[in-house]
Every structure is written in C-alpha cells, then in structure tokens.
Amino acid sequence: MNAAKRYEIFRRLHEDNPEPKTELAYSSPFELLIAVILSAQSTDVGVNKATAKLFPVANTPAAIHALGIEGLSAYIKTIGLFNSKAKNVIETCRLLVERHGSEVPQTREELEALPGVGRKTANVVLNTAFRQLTMAVDTHIFRVSNRTGIAPGKNVVEVEMKLMKFVPKEFLLDSHHWLILHGRYVCLARKPRCGSCRIEDLCEYKQKTSDD
C-alpha cells in the first residue's frame, strides 16, 4: 500500500469521526488504567458495567487497595479472569501509592512494571490519558492492519512499528481509536462488512464481501 492510499484512508476516518474516543468509561487516568487492565479478553461493555458499580465506591489507588482482593472481586466477578485481575489491580494500586504518589506514571517503562500492565495496556493509557504518540495494537487493529494492507505484520509489535512509521503524522494521535472502531463494527473477524465500508475502494483485501 502506498502513502497516498494510507493518507486517504485516515482522512476519511477522520472526516467521519473527528474526535474518536475509547468506549471504556473513565474520568481520570487512574480509572482508565484500571478499566484497561480489566478489559483484557473481555468486552468494553462488560467492563463498563462492573466499573459503574466499582468507581463510585472506590476510584483511587488507596481506596481500591483498601477493598482487598475479595472486596474488589465482588465488583468485577462478571468479568472474565476476575480472580487474577483482582490480584493484579490490588498490587498495582499498592505500587502506585508507594512508588508514584498515587499518580499514574507517564512512561511505558514505569507502566509496564505494574502487574497486569503489558505493552498494549501501557500504550492505551499513554495515548488516551496523556495524549502521547503511541499505538496499542489489539486483535482488531492487528486484523485491520493486515487485512487492508495498511501495515501488515506477523505479530503485534511488528504491526505497531509499521503503523507508527506509516500512519500520516497528522492522524497518528487518534489512529488507534479509528482502527479499533473500524475493526469492531465494520471490518469484522468472521465476515467483514465490505459493502458498508468507507474505505473499501482503498483496501487491498482480495476477498471482498457483500453485506447480504
């Protein structure tokens, strides 16, 4: 795929959704961090239902840590892998209080040192909460990048590096959200909705589908 095609793809995505947002509900960098940790192998809808009950009760590192693993588990038991996530969140809250003055750190290295925080989660927080130029590659972005030809790669890190290189700079900050939403609602895993796709004419996927 050439640079002109890539530019037009992101120009259209920007035109259709000038200010894309994450679908996770949050009101602070800390709430976003916790929501993203909980979202691993879970839906944003499911996480939002749990945090809608949790955050009004506890939405600071100290407050969630005070709940303990069992107390936190009661709020997030509807989310997949809630036992291991509860342990990670409680430990992360302890470290935030002890090492970071209860503030969410703003570097990837410090974020990845927290339990339950991998490269993707760190990139989401850096991009969405702190507006840094990072690219969090999840299953949707990996699929869309490979299928369309925007940034093909064998693994998520390779796709991340190519997107950081190939996405036009003026669109890079929000491109993570556009690609996720495109993968979630249009470029579906089992059968892409090519007939409803805004960038179908630019996409290099060979097996285009109809929406029938």
Side-chain angles (χ1 to χ4, degrees):
M1 180 174 286
N2 61 38
K5 269 190 181 180
R6 287 194 189 94
Y7 186 91
E8 179 60 15
I9 284 172
F10 286 100
R11 189 199 67 75
R12 290 184 194 177
L13 294 174
H14 170 267
E15 183 177 68
D16 291 351
N17 186 4
E19 296 183 1
K21 301 283 189 288
T22 178
E23 293 186 318
L24 288 171
Y26 73 99
S27 61
S28 69
F30 174 70
E31 286 188 0
L32 177 65
L33 172 63
I34 299 307
V36 179
I37 292 174
L38 296 177
S39 73
Q41 298 178 45
S42 303
T43 66
D44 287 1
V45 172
V47 172
N48 288 342
K49 284 181 181 177
T51 57
K53 295 176 182 177
L54 170 64
F55 288 156
V57 175
N59 70 343
T60 65
I64 288 184
H65 186 262
L67 292 174
I69 293 172
E70 285 188 19
L72 176 58
S73 295
Y75 287 99
I76 66 170
K77 61 182 181 230
T78 54
I79 299 174
L81 308 175
F82 75 90
N83 278 319
S84 61
K85 289 177 181 177
K87 291 175 185 173
N88 285 337
V89 168
I90 292 298
E91 182 63 7
T92 282
C93 288
R94 183 184 71 79
L95 293 173
L96 288 175
V97 171
E98 293 182 3
R99 297 183 184 175
H100 301 286
S102 294
E103 296 292 326
V104 177
Q106 298 188 35
T107 70
R108 181 186 285 114
E109 293 73 23
E110 289 175 306
L111 283 166
E112 287 188 21
L114 299 170
V117 179
R119 185 179 183 88
K120 183 187 77 173
T121 296
N123 281 340
V124 171
V125 173
L126 292 172
N127 178 268
T128 304
F130 301 122
R131 306 301 281 161
Q132 293 185 25
L133 291 174
T134 61
M135 180 64 64
V137 179
D138 68 350
T139 55
H140 296 301
I141 293 181
F142 185 78
R143 178 175 69 254
V144 170
S145 297
N146 275 288
R147 188 183 272 166
T148 60
I150 291 172
K154 296 184 178 67
N155 56 61
V156 292
V157 174
E158 188 177 345
V159 169
E160 177 188 334
M161 296 306 165
K162 285 190 176 181
L163 286 169
M164 292 297 291
K165 179 180 178 181
F166 291 143
V167 175
K169 287 292 180 282
E170 68 188 270
F171 300 121
L172 186 56
L173 189 59
D174 289 322
S175 57
H176 156 83
H177 295 304
W178 288 318
L179 293 171
I180 281 182
L181 294 170
H182 193 68
R184 189 171 284 166
Y185 297 110
V186 182
C187 198
L188 307 178
R190 289 187 179 177
K191 185 185 178 185
R193 300 175 58 225
C194 298
S196 303
C197 180
R198 185 79 160 84
I199 60 171
E200 182 189 10
D201 57 316
L202 301 166
C203 168
E204 297 184 351
Y205 185 53
K206 297 290 192 290
Q207 297 145 308
K208 297 278 172 61
T209 68
S210 68
D211 283 359
D212 301 333

